């Protein structure tokens, strides 16, 4: 028996018609065929042509990743697909809002760590902060993990958006 | 040109007419009444009134598969839609082009749990190639033309258009089906010449080559089947076909090895296992074909032609994948084959044919005939022998043992004459499908080779058959069991026949008569020929109740979880442990 194929994380950008049901088609495809979704973001990016861009972070063997791309391409409202992970260098960013509650030393420590991570305080009360942090998913994970010991009460994350480096569009 | 401002319902009729639709299959209801009203005042499109919406979809499938045209369905909202879901899924799995128009509650009531409301686009999203909810009457004509384009092009499939009642009444603009250029949907027809060249190089070097073709050849059109035959001729390669592909290559051709897969022939499956180069043409490496994936055709270099890129490398990794329409790709491939004067190793090919002939000599479809009890294989064999002189014979089937026996014993020379539910395995498909075929080919001999369990799932369509005086013939292989379930229970579940026997079956002769059809019955082998002849000669619909051996099993068989070279050839070929533990979980 050959060794099992390695499972890798891929970031896939999909350009779709911004029409009702298009997100349901994409999500239904993933759940119906048993593919993973680690994160998914969607927003309109071209109002004139009514195009939305979906960024999906998924994982699978090379054969599964190829299937995901082929199955996405089969959806009628899908214009373009790019596997940013294999297409070349790209930039990934995610934004998180992190609510921390506490006082005294912990409050000071939270502010100090936020400073190191270049997180901004968006809201402050005598007993809480809301931090905004931007970075790749790993940086957000690290920040949130540190806040866990300092009164973390709530997290909201956008999911990953990504774009290829260099002058070319999708 | 007629007026270009009209009601939504009139737009539907005009679009159908402009798309060349002559027949639609449907069932009225509250949410489609405006369309039925528009139907009433015209003669271009004939409506066939079925008895349940599921029958309408299968009938449209039969119509589509036997003509190469798009089949059209018209049903109401709610239950009309949910009854259609099986047929839509069936059409999606078997790549049958359909347009299904469904009524919907008026737009202002959508989401309010109105009477006969359901989330049609939500329910049918995974079982259609694409679907639309039209909320503006001015989009309607474009959407309908687009629906036909999407249904018939690329890998064909069902497309649904959900039409709220207020849109059917609203007045809007009609646009004719000018050449549809879709913004994002652009299926690829021509194959990549670089890949075609690589394919030819691999095939020209092959010592044990095999062509494995499927339903994609039929869907591509008659030219594809001719090109397949031409390629087999110039290359001298053997050909095997999938269940959906039967007819895409003439069964009488000496290069034909028969159907492959779970109930395929010994020679086809061993050739798949033993080949050193395989070209898959419009076939999709379905689990009924591959058996145990890890042991599937272990020594072959694989080439795959398919119009659907997602079919390539889905189940079986291939060395060369060619995305394109079968006819287009085969045309280029043959041209390239000829221009490079590809000449496979004649000596090796001869040895390969020698090996294949050795497997053929096992005569794997042989069965123990009887003088006293009708063997199902015998009945189907006689049906074939007594109809083979005609070139207008269409065969549909239900699902189960009789379906596999029909695939094994009925020989097809041309595509589009064999209609069966391959991917979904829908019991109840055959009778309505035969009805659709007969509508499209009024003078043809259309036979539903049926099982008594399956046919009861859509037996109500006998009433439609009566209404339109369709001379559909039902050749009922009656073994009083769900035969394939019984067979698996015998082989895998220790002979515990849990719920696979049906008590209180109807008297099918009387049932036929009650629907104005003719009922015939054969209970012993000597009666079979007479019943078949009477059935063929009868100008009316017939149910021929063929009482067969209830205990007969369908062989050859690759048990689930087994490899091609682990076939069971017959009842004497039982193994200690025919099914592995891994195989037990498979269907």
């Amino acid at each position: 028996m050959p060794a099992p194929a390695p499972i890798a994380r891929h970031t896939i950008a999909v350009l779709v018609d911004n029409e009702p049901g298009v997100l349901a088609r994409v999500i239904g495809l993933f759940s119906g065929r048993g593919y993973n979704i680690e994160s998914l973001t969607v927003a309109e990016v071209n109002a004139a042509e009514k195009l939305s861009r979906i960024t999906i972070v998924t994982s699978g063997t090379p054969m599964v990743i190829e299937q995901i791309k082929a199955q996405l391409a089969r959806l009628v409202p899908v214009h373009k697909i790019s596997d940013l992970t294999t297409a070349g260098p790209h930039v990934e960013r995610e934004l998180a809002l992190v609510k921390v509650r506490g006082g005294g030393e912990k409050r000071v420590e939270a502010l100090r760590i936020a400073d190191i991570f270049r997180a901004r305080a968006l809201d402050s009360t005598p007993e809480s902060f809301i931090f905004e942090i931007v970075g790749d998913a790993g940086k957000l994970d690290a920040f949130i993990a540190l806040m866990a010991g300092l009164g973390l009460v709530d997290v909201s994350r956008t999911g990953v958006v990504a774009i290829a480096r260099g002058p070319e569009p999708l | 040109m007629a007026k270009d401002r009209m009601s939504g319902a009139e737009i539907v009729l005009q679009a159908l007419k402009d798309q060349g639709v002559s027949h639609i299959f449907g069932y009225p209801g509250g949410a489609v009444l405006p369309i039925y009203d528009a139907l009433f005042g015209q003669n271009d499109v004939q409506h066939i009134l079925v008895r349940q919406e599921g029958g309408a979809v299968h009938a449209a499938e039969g119509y589509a598969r036997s003509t190469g045209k798009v089949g059209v369905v018209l049903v109401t909202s709610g239950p009309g839609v949910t009854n259609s879901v099986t047929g839509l899924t069936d059409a999606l799995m078997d790549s049958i082009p359909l347009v299904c128009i469904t009524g919907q509650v008026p737009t202002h009531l959508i989401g309010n749990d109105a009477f006969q409301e359901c989330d049609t686009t939500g329910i049918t999203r995974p079982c259609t190639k694409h679907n639309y909810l039209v909320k503006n009457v001015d989009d309607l004509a474009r959407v309908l033309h687009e629906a036909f384009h999407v249904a018939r092009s690329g890998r064909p499939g069902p497309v649904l258009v959900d039409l709220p009642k207020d849109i059917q009444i609203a007045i809007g603009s009609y646009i004719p089906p000018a050449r549809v250029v879709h913004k994002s949907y652009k299926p690829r027809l021509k194959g990549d010449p670089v890949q075609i060249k690589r394919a030819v190089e691999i095939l020209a070097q092959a010592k044990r080559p095999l062509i494995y073709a499927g339903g994609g050849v039929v869907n591509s059109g008659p030219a594809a089947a001719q090109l397949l035959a031409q390629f087999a001729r110039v290359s001298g390669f053997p050909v095997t076909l999938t269940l959906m592909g039967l007819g895409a290559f003439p069964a009488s051709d000496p290069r034909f090895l028969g159907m492959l897969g779970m109930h395929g022939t010994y020679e086809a499956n061993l050739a798949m296992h033993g080949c050193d180069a395989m070209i898959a043409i419009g076939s999709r490496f379905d689990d009924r074909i591959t058996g145990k994936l890890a042991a599937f055709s272990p020594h072959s270099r694989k080439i795959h032609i398919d119009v659907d890129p997602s079919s390539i490398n889905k189940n079986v990794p291939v060395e060369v994948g060619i995305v394109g329409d079968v006819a287009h790709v085969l045309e280029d491939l043959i041209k390239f084959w000829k221009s490079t004067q590809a000449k496979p190793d004649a000596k090796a090919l001869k040895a390969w044919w020698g090996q294949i002939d050795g497997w053929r000599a096992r005569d794997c479809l042989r069965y123990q005939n009887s003088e006293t009890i009708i063997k199902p294989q015998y009945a189907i064999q006689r049906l074939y022998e007594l109809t083979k002189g005609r070139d207008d014979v269409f065969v549909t089937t239900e699902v189960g043992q009789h379906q596999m026996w029909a695939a094994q014993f009925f020989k097809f020379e041309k595509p589009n004459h064999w209609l069966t539910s391959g991917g979904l395995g829908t019991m109840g498909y055959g009778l309505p499908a035969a009805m659709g075929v007969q509508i499209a080919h009024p003078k043809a001999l259309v036979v539903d080779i049926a099982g008594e369990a399956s046919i009861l799932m859509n037996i109500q369509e006998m009433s439609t058959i009566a209404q339109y005086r369709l001379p559909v013939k039902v050749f009922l292989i009656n073994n009083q069991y769900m035969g394939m379930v019984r067979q698996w229970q015998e082989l895998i579940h220790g002979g515990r026949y849990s719920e696979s026997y049906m008590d209180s079956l109807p008297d099918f002769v009387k049932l036929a008569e009650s629907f104005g059809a003719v009922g015939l019955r054969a209970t012993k082998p000597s009666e079979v020929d007479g019943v078949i002849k009477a059935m063929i000669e009868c100008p009316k619909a017939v149910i021929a109740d063929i009482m067969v051996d209830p205990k007969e099993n369908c062989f050859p068989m690759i048990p689930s979880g087994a490899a091609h070279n682990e076939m069971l050839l017959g009842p004497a070929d039982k193994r200690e442990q025919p099914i592995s533990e891994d195989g037990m979980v498979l269907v």
Side-chain angles (χ1 to χ4, degrees), chain A residues 26-67:
Chain A
V26 171
I27 292 170
L29 170 69
F30 274 71
S31 66
R33 293 186 182 267
Y35 306 140
N36 292 316
I37 299 181
E38 287 180 17
S39 92
L40 186 145
T41 67
V42 56
E44 188 172 78
V45 290
N46 183 335
E49 292 181 42
K50 289 194 174 164
L51 295 176
S52 286
R53 181 166 169 138
I54 300 176
T55 309
I56 304 165
V57 180
T58 183
S59 58
T61 61
M63 218 162 140
V64 168
I65 298 293
E66 189 187 331
Q67 263 300 297

Side-chain angles (χ1 to χ4, degrees), chain B residues 33-51:
Chain B
L33 282 177
I35 300 177
Y36 275 86
D37 203 34
L39 263 172
F40 192 73
Q42 56 84 52
N43 289 315
D44 298 311
V45 179
Q46 196 198 340
H47 178 270
I48 308 298
L49 177 64
V50 299
R51 297 301 180 262

Side-chain angles (χ1 to χ4, degrees), chain B residues 31 74 95 228 231 408 414 437 447 503 542 545 565:
Chain B
L74 175 61
S95 310
L228 174 63
F231 182 61
Q408 291 172 340
K414 291 184 295 190
V437 176
V447 184
D503 201 349
V542 174
D545 189 13
N565 56 350

Side-chain angles (χ1 to χ4, degrees), chain B residues 384-393:
Chain B
Y384 170 64
E385 291 296 333
L386 293 170
T387 56
K388 73 176 177 185
R390 305 175 58 146
D391 66 351
D392 64 341
V393 181

